[in-house]
mmCIF file of all heavy atoms in Angstrom:
data_model
loop_
_atom_site.group_PDB
_atom_site.id
_atom_site.type_symbol
_atom_site.label_atom_id
_atom_site.label_comp_id
_atom_site.label_asym_id
_atom_site.label_seq_id
_atom_site.Cartn_x
_atom_site.Cartn_y
_atom_site.Cartn_z
ATOM 1 N N LYS A 90 140.482 -164.507 162.291
ATOM 2 C CA LYS A 90 139.886 -163.859 163.458
ATOM 3 C C LYS A 90 138.928 -162.767 163.021
ATOM 4 O O LYS A 90 139.227 -161.991 162.113
ATOM 5 C CB LYS A 90 140.992 -163.265 164.335
ATOM 6 C CG LYS A 90 140.522 -162.727 165.645
ATOM 7 C CD LYS A 90 141.709 -162.270 166.467
ATOM 8 C CE LYS A 90 141.271 -161.705 167.773
ATOM 9 N NZ LYS A 90 142.432 -161.266 168.563
ATOM 10 N N LEU A 91 137.746 -162.725 163.660
ATOM 11 C CA LEU A 91 136.780 -161.663 163.397
ATOM 12 C C LEU A 91 136.941 -160.571 164.436
ATOM 13 O O LEU A 91 137.174 -160.842 165.620
ATOM 14 C CB LEU A 91 135.352 -162.218 163.430
ATOM 15 C CG LEU A 91 135.014 -163.203 162.317
ATOM 16 C CD1 LEU A 91 133.566 -163.643 162.436
ATOM 17 C CD2 LEU A 91 135.261 -162.602 160.956
ATOM 18 N N LEU A 92 136.811 -159.333 163.996
ATOM 19 C CA LEU A 92 137.046 -158.183 164.852
ATOM 20 C C LEU A 92 135.719 -157.567 165.257
ATOM 21 O O LEU A 92 135.023 -156.970 164.439
ATOM 22 C CB LEU A 92 137.922 -157.163 164.105
ATOM 23 C CG LEU A 92 139.212 -157.742 163.504
ATOM 24 C CD1 LEU A 92 139.906 -156.699 162.658
ATOM 25 C CD2 LEU A 92 140.119 -158.258 164.599
ATOM 26 N N LEU A 93 135.370 -157.749 166.521
ATOM 27 C CA LEU A 93 134.145 -157.195 167.095
ATOM 28 C C LEU A 93 134.492 -156.556 168.437
ATOM 29 O O LEU A 93 135.521 -156.866 169.038
ATOM 30 C CB LEU A 93 133.106 -158.301 167.336
ATOM 31 C CG LEU A 93 132.416 -158.888 166.117
ATOM 32 C CD1 LEU A 93 131.752 -160.195 166.481
ATOM 33 C CD2 LEU A 93 131.381 -157.924 165.593
ATOM 34 N N HIS A 94 133.627 -155.686 168.917
ATOM 35 C CA HIS A 94 133.817 -155.092 170.233
ATOM 36 C C HIS A 94 133.574 -156.150 171.309
ATOM 37 O O HIS A 94 132.817 -157.104 171.116
ATOM 38 C CB HIS A 94 132.848 -153.920 170.444
ATOM 39 C CG HIS A 94 133.151 -152.749 169.570
ATOM 40 N ND1 HIS A 94 134.195 -151.899 169.807
ATOM 41 C CD2 HIS A 94 132.550 -152.301 168.448
ATOM 42 C CE1 HIS A 94 134.230 -150.961 168.873
ATOM 43 N NE2 HIS A 94 133.245 -151.191 168.029
ATOM 44 N N ARG A 95 134.222 -155.976 172.455
ATOM 45 C CA ARG A 95 134.115 -156.949 173.542
ATOM 46 C C ARG A 95 132.666 -157.156 173.984
ATOM 47 O O ARG A 95 132.226 -158.282 174.204
ATOM 48 C CB ARG A 95 134.976 -156.470 174.726
ATOM 49 C CG ARG A 95 134.810 -157.235 176.008
ATOM 50 C CD ARG A 95 135.045 -158.735 175.920
ATOM 51 N NE ARG A 95 136.283 -159.086 175.268
ATOM 52 C CZ ARG A 95 136.529 -160.288 174.739
ATOM 53 N NH1 ARG A 95 135.621 -161.237 174.796
ATOM 54 N NH2 ARG A 95 137.660 -160.542 174.153
ATOM 55 N N ASN A 96 131.878 -156.057 174.086
ATOM 56 C CA ASN A 96 130.487 -156.232 174.533
ATOM 57 C C ASN A 96 129.658 -156.974 173.484
ATOM 58 O O ASN A 96 128.743 -157.718 173.827
ATOM 59 C CB ASN A 96 129.848 -154.888 174.910
ATOM 60 C CG ASN A 96 129.855 -153.891 173.784
ATOM 61 O OD1 ASN A 96 130.368 -154.170 172.708
ATOM 62 N ND2 ASN A 96 129.303 -152.718 174.031
ATOM 63 N N GLN A 97 129.968 -156.813 172.199
ATOM 64 C CA GLN A 97 129.278 -157.579 171.158
ATOM 65 C C GLN A 97 129.616 -159.064 171.280
ATOM 66 O O GLN A 97 128.746 -159.921 171.156
ATOM 67 C CB GLN A 97 129.662 -157.073 169.766
ATOM 68 C CG GLN A 97 129.077 -155.741 169.403
ATOM 69 C CD GLN A 97 129.534 -155.290 168.032
ATOM 70 O OE1 GLN A 97 130.711 -155.376 167.694
ATOM 71 N NE2 GLN A 97 128.592 -154.816 167.229
ATOM 72 N N ILE A 98 130.889 -159.365 171.508
ATOM 73 C CA ILE A 98 131.312 -160.762 171.640
ATOM 74 C C ILE A 98 130.635 -161.399 172.847
ATOM 75 O O ILE A 98 130.096 -162.509 172.755
ATOM 76 C CB ILE A 98 132.847 -160.860 171.761
ATOM 77 C CG1 ILE A 98 133.503 -160.424 170.451
ATOM 78 C CG2 ILE A 98 133.271 -162.285 172.126
ATOM 79 C CD1 ILE A 98 135.006 -160.333 170.509
ATOM 80 N N ASP A 99 130.622 -160.692 173.983
ATOM 81 C CA ASP A 99 129.985 -161.237 175.186
ATOM 82 C C ASP A 99 128.496 -161.471 174.970
ATOM 83 O O ASP A 99 127.940 -162.473 175.423
ATOM 84 C CB ASP A 99 130.214 -160.300 176.373
ATOM 85 C CG ASP A 99 131.681 -160.239 176.782
ATOM 86 O OD1 ASP A 99 132.440 -161.164 176.399
ATOM 87 O OD2 ASP A 99 132.068 -159.270 177.464
ATOM 88 N N ASN A 100 127.840 -160.539 174.274
ATOM 89 C CA ASN A 100 126.414 -160.673 173.969
ATOM 90 C C ASN A 100 126.172 -161.906 173.091
ATOM 91 O O ASN A 100 125.253 -162.701 173.343
ATOM 92 C CB ASN A 100 125.921 -159.402 173.281
ATOM 93 C CG ASN A 100 124.432 -159.408 173.034
ATOM 94 O OD1 ASN A 100 123.709 -160.226 173.578
ATOM 95 N ND2 ASN A 100 123.979 -158.495 172.207
ATOM 96 N N LEU A 101 126.999 -162.085 172.057
ATOM 97 C CA LEU A 101 126.848 -163.237 171.165
ATOM 98 C C LEU A 101 127.106 -164.546 171.899
ATOM 99 O O LEU A 101 126.382 -165.526 171.709
ATOM 100 C CB LEU A 101 127.810 -163.110 169.973
ATOM 101 C CG LEU A 101 127.427 -162.093 168.913
ATOM 102 C CD1 LEU A 101 128.525 -161.971 167.885
ATOM 103 C CD2 LEU A 101 126.134 -162.490 168.240
ATOM 104 N N VAL A 102 128.119 -164.568 172.757
ATOM 105 C CA VAL A 102 128.433 -165.788 173.504
ATOM 106 C C VAL A 102 127.247 -166.168 174.391
ATOM 107 O O VAL A 102 126.859 -167.336 174.457
ATOM 108 C CB VAL A 102 129.714 -165.599 174.347
ATOM 109 C CG1 VAL A 102 129.885 -166.734 175.343
ATOM 110 C CG2 VAL A 102 130.925 -165.510 173.442
ATOM 111 N N GLY A 103 126.641 -165.184 175.051
ATOM 112 C CA GLY A 103 125.481 -165.461 175.895
ATOM 113 C C GLY A 103 124.312 -166.014 175.106
ATOM 114 O O GLY A 103 123.658 -166.971 175.529
ATOM 115 N N LYS A 104 124.042 -165.433 173.939
ATOM 116 C CA LYS A 104 122.914 -165.901 173.126
ATOM 117 C C LYS A 104 123.169 -167.294 172.558
ATOM 118 O O LYS A 104 122.252 -168.113 172.465
ATOM 119 C CB LYS A 104 122.640 -164.907 172.006
ATOM 120 C CG LYS A 104 122.029 -163.620 172.506
ATOM 121 C CD LYS A 104 121.722 -162.685 171.377
ATOM 122 C CE LYS A 104 121.081 -161.415 171.918
ATOM 123 N NZ LYS A 104 120.790 -160.458 170.861
ATOM 124 N N ILE A 105 124.393 -167.573 172.157
ATOM 125 C CA ILE A 105 124.717 -168.889 171.604
ATOM 126 C C ILE A 105 124.597 -169.949 172.689
ATOM 127 O O ILE A 105 124.088 -171.045 172.460
ATOM 128 C CB ILE A 105 126.138 -168.886 170.988
ATOM 129 C CG1 ILE A 105 126.143 -168.034 169.721
ATOM 130 C CG2 ILE A 105 126.597 -170.289 170.681
ATOM 131 C CD1 ILE A 105 127.504 -167.787 169.164
ATOM 132 N N ARG A 106 125.059 -169.627 173.892
ATOM 133 C CA ARG A 106 125.009 -170.581 174.991
ATOM 134 C C ARG A 106 123.577 -170.842 175.442
ATOM 135 O O ARG A 106 123.228 -171.950 175.801
ATOM 136 C CB ARG A 106 125.836 -170.040 176.151
ATOM 137 C CG ARG A 106 126.568 -171.119 176.889
ATOM 138 C CD ARG A 106 127.526 -170.580 177.896
ATOM 139 N NE ARG A 106 128.866 -170.552 177.343
ATOM 140 C CZ ARG A 106 129.772 -169.629 177.616
ATOM 141 N NH1 ARG A 106 129.489 -168.654 178.429
ATOM 142 N NH2 ARG A 106 130.961 -169.696 177.087
ATOM 143 N N ASP A 107 122.724 -169.806 175.432
ATOM 144 C CA ASP A 107 121.345 -169.945 175.906
ATOM 145 C C ASP A 107 120.489 -170.783 174.962
ATOM 146 O O ASP A 107 119.858 -171.744 175.369
ATOM 147 C CB ASP A 107 120.685 -168.568 176.075
ATOM 148 C CG ASP A 107 121.224 -167.833 177.286
ATOM 149 O OD1 ASP A 107 121.887 -168.476 178.117
ATOM 150 O OD2 ASP A 107 120.988 -166.616 177.382
ATOM 151 N N GLY A 108 120.461 -170.380 173.702
ATOM 152 C CA GLY A 108 119.581 -171.060 172.747
ATOM 153 C C GLY A 108 120.361 -171.967 171.829
ATOM 154 O O GLY A 108 121.588 -172.080 171.913
ATOM 155 N N ASN A 109 119.671 -172.604 170.944
ATOM 156 C CA ASN A 109 120.292 -173.484 169.957
ATOM 157 C C ASN A 109 120.637 -172.645 168.732
ATOM 158 O O ASN A 109 120.068 -172.822 167.660
ATOM 159 C CB ASN A 109 119.327 -174.622 169.617
ATOM 160 C CG ASN A 109 119.996 -175.683 168.793
ATOM 161 O OD1 ASN A 109 121.212 -175.709 168.663
ATOM 162 N ND2 ASN A 109 119.193 -176.558 168.221
ATOM 163 N N LEU A 110 121.582 -171.721 168.896
ATOM 164 C CA LEU A 110 121.906 -170.754 167.855
ATOM 165 C C LEU A 110 123.326 -170.956 167.352
ATOM 166 O O LEU A 110 124.171 -171.523 168.041
ATOM 167 C CB LEU A 110 121.744 -169.323 168.379
ATOM 168 C CG LEU A 110 120.371 -168.955 168.930
ATOM 169 C CD1 LEU A 110 120.391 -167.541 169.470
ATOM 170 C CD2 LEU A 110 119.322 -169.088 167.862
ATOM 171 N N THR A 111 123.589 -170.443 166.163
ATOM 172 C CA THR A 111 124.915 -170.526 165.568
ATOM 173 C C THR A 111 125.241 -169.208 164.871
ATOM 174 O O THR A 111 124.355 -168.393 164.613
ATOM 175 C CB THR A 111 124.995 -171.707 164.581
ATOM 176 O OG1 THR A 111 126.331 -171.842 164.138
ATOM 177 C CG2 THR A 111 124.075 -171.510 163.393
ATOM 178 N N LEU A 112 126.505 -169.017 164.551
ATOM 179 C CA LEU A 112 126.952 -167.834 163.814
ATOM 180 C C LEU A 112 127.263 -168.241 162.384
ATOM 181 O O LEU A 112 128.107 -169.106 162.151
ATOM 182 C CB LEU A 112 128.204 -167.239 164.473
ATOM 183 C CG LEU A 112 127.990 -166.557 165.801
ATOM 184 C CD1 LEU A 112 129.327 -166.188 166.425
ATOM 185 C CD2 LEU A 112 127.143 -165.320 165.628
ATOM 186 N N VAL A 113 126.587 -167.613 161.431
ATOM 187 C CA VAL A 113 126.734 -167.957 160.026
ATOM 188 C C VAL A 113 127.131 -166.697 159.245
ATOM 189 O O VAL A 113 126.465 -165.667 159.371
ATOM 190 C CB VAL A 113 125.401 -168.504 159.455
ATOM 191 C CG1 VAL A 113 125.551 -168.869 157.997
ATOM 192 C CG2 VAL A 113 124.920 -169.677 160.253
ATOM 193 N N PRO A 114 128.192 -166.758 158.440
ATOM 194 C CA PRO A 114 128.528 -165.605 157.603
ATOM 195 C C PRO A 114 127.594 -165.538 156.399
ATOM 196 O O PRO A 114 127.349 -166.542 155.728
ATOM 197 C CB PRO A 114 129.971 -165.880 157.175
ATOM 198 C CG PRO A 114 130.115 -167.347 157.272
ATOM 199 C CD PRO A 114 129.181 -167.812 158.355
ATOM 200 N N LEU A 115 127.030 -164.352 156.154
ATOM 201 C CA LEU A 115 126.110 -164.171 155.027
ATOM 202 C C LEU A 115 126.809 -163.615 153.802
ATOM 203 O O LEU A 115 126.525 -164.017 152.685
ATOM 204 C CB LEU A 115 124.963 -163.247 155.430
ATOM 205 C CG LEU A 115 124.061 -163.736 156.549
ATOM 206 C CD1 LEU A 115 123.008 -162.687 156.867
ATOM 207 C CD2 LEU A 115 123.409 -165.045 156.177
ATOM 208 N N SER A 116 127.703 -162.633 154.003
ATOM 209 C CA SER A 116 128.401 -162.060 152.862
ATOM 210 C C SER A 116 129.752 -161.517 153.291
ATOM 211 O O SER A 116 129.975 -161.208 154.462
ATOM 212 C CB SER A 116 127.574 -160.956 152.199
ATOM 213 O OG SER A 116 127.393 -159.882 153.092
ATOM 214 N N LEU A 117 130.639 -161.390 152.322
ATOM 215 C CA LEU A 117 131.980 -160.863 152.513
ATOM 216 C C LEU A 117 132.129 -159.724 151.533
ATOM 217 O O LEU A 117 131.866 -159.902 150.340
ATOM 218 C CB LEU A 117 132.998 -161.977 152.229
ATOM 219 C CG LEU A 117 134.448 -161.738 152.551
ATOM 220 C CD1 LEU A 117 134.636 -161.677 154.063
ATOM 221 C CD2 LEU A 117 135.296 -162.850 151.982
ATOM 222 N N TYR A 118 132.528 -158.547 152.014
ATOM 223 C CA TYR A 118 132.556 -157.381 151.133
ATOM 224 C C TYR A 118 133.584 -156.369 151.607
ATOM 225 O O TYR A 118 134.103 -156.454 152.731
ATOM 226 C CB TYR A 118 131.179 -156.724 151.061
ATOM 227 C CG TYR A 118 130.590 -156.359 152.402
ATOM 228 C CD1 TYR A 118 130.783 -155.114 152.969
ATOM 229 C CD2 TYR A 118 129.824 -157.287 153.108
ATOM 230 C CE1 TYR A 118 130.242 -154.793 154.192
ATOM 231 C CE2 TYR A 118 129.279 -156.973 154.330
ATOM 232 C CZ TYR A 118 129.494 -155.725 154.873
ATOM 233 O OH TYR A 118 128.963 -155.411 156.093
ATOM 234 N N PHE A 119 133.897 -155.423 150.730
ATOM 235 C CA PHE A 119 134.767 -154.307 151.070
ATOM 236 C C PHE A 119 133.897 -153.132 151.482
ATOM 237 O O PHE A 119 132.908 -152.817 150.826
ATOM 238 C CB PHE A 119 135.626 -153.903 149.868
ATOM 239 C CG PHE A 119 136.777 -154.829 149.624
ATOM 240 C CD1 PHE A 119 136.670 -155.864 148.721
ATOM 241 C CD2 PHE A 119 137.965 -154.663 150.309
ATOM 242 C CE1 PHE A 119 137.728 -156.721 148.499
ATOM 243 C CE2 PHE A 119 139.024 -155.511 150.102
ATOM 244 C CZ PHE A 119 138.913 -156.544 149.196
ATOM 245 N N LEU A 120 134.287 -152.461 152.572
ATOM 246 C CA LEU A 120 133.608 -151.255 153.035
ATOM 247 C C LEU A 120 134.692 -150.213 153.287
ATOM 248 O O LEU A 120 135.477 -150.363 154.225
ATOM 249 C CB LEU A 120 132.804 -151.536 154.303
ATOM 250 C CG LEU A 120 132.020 -150.366 154.861
ATOM 251 C CD1 LEU A 120 130.889 -149.984 153.904
ATOM 252 C CD2 LEU A 120 131.423 -150.709 156.204
ATOM 253 N N ASP A 121 134.752 -149.213 152.424
ATOM 254 C CA ASP A 121 135.775 -148.165 152.518
ATOM 255 C C ASP A 121 137.179 -148.757 152.574
ATOM 256 O O ASP A 121 138.019 -148.351 153.373
ATOM 257 C CB ASP A 121 135.528 -147.265 153.735
ATOM 258 C CG ASP A 121 134.196 -146.542 153.634
ATOM 259 O OD1 ASP A 121 133.793 -146.221 152.497
ATOM 260 O OD2 ASP A 121 133.564 -146.308 154.670
ATOM 261 N N GLY A 122 137.430 -149.756 151.753
ATOM 262 C CA GLY A 122 138.759 -150.340 151.649
ATOM 263 C C GLY A 122 139.067 -151.420 152.664
ATOM 264 O O GLY A 122 140.133 -152.028 152.611
ATOM 265 N N LYS A 123 138.171 -151.694 153.596
ATOM 266 C CA LYS A 123 138.399 -152.719 154.608
ATOM 267 C C LYS A 123 137.475 -153.901 154.348
ATOM 268 O O LYS A 123 136.331 -153.724 153.969
ATOM 269 C CB LYS A 123 138.148 -152.158 156.010
ATOM 270 C CG LYS A 123 139.145 -151.076 156.400
ATOM 271 C CD LYS A 123 138.783 -150.491 157.738
ATOM 272 C CE LYS A 123 139.770 -149.448 158.176
ATOM 273 N NZ LYS A 123 139.829 -148.285 157.310
ATOM 274 N N VAL A 124 137.983 -155.102 154.589
ATOM 275 C CA VAL A 124 137.187 -156.309 154.367
ATOM 276 C C VAL A 124 136.277 -156.512 155.571
ATOM 277 O O VAL A 124 136.724 -156.518 156.714
ATOM 278 C CB VAL A 124 138.082 -157.543 154.169
ATOM 279 C CG1 VAL A 124 137.235 -158.793 154.000
ATOM 280 C CG2 VAL A 124 138.978 -157.353 152.960
ATOM 281 N N LYS A 125 134.992 -156.661 155.303
ATOM 282 C CA LYS A 125 133.995 -156.887 156.347
ATOM 283 C C LYS A 125 133.223 -158.158 156.029
ATOM 284 O O LYS A 125 133.115 -158.557 154.869
ATOM 285 C CB LYS A 125 133.002 -155.722 156.424
ATOM 286 C CG LYS A 125 133.638 -154.370 156.662
ATOM 287 C CD LYS A 125 134.097 -154.226 158.078
ATOM 288 C CE LYS A 125 134.637 -152.822 158.305
ATOM 289 N NZ LYS A 125 135.076 -152.641 159.679
#
Side-chain angles (χ1 to χ4, degrees):
K90 187 176 179 180
L91 294 182
L92 308 173
L93 287 164
H94 292 285
R95 171 56 50 200
N96 58 358
Q97 288 178 315
I98 293 173
D99 293 341
N100 185 14
L101 285 174
V102 168
K104 288 182 179 179
I105 290 171
R106 216 172 262 146
D107 287 346
N109 190 13
L110 303 177
T111 186
L112 289 172
V113 180
L115 297 178
S116 64
L117 189 69
Y118 54 92
F119 283 95
L120 182 67
D121 298 327
K123 294 176 178 63
V124 178
K125 303 286 184 179

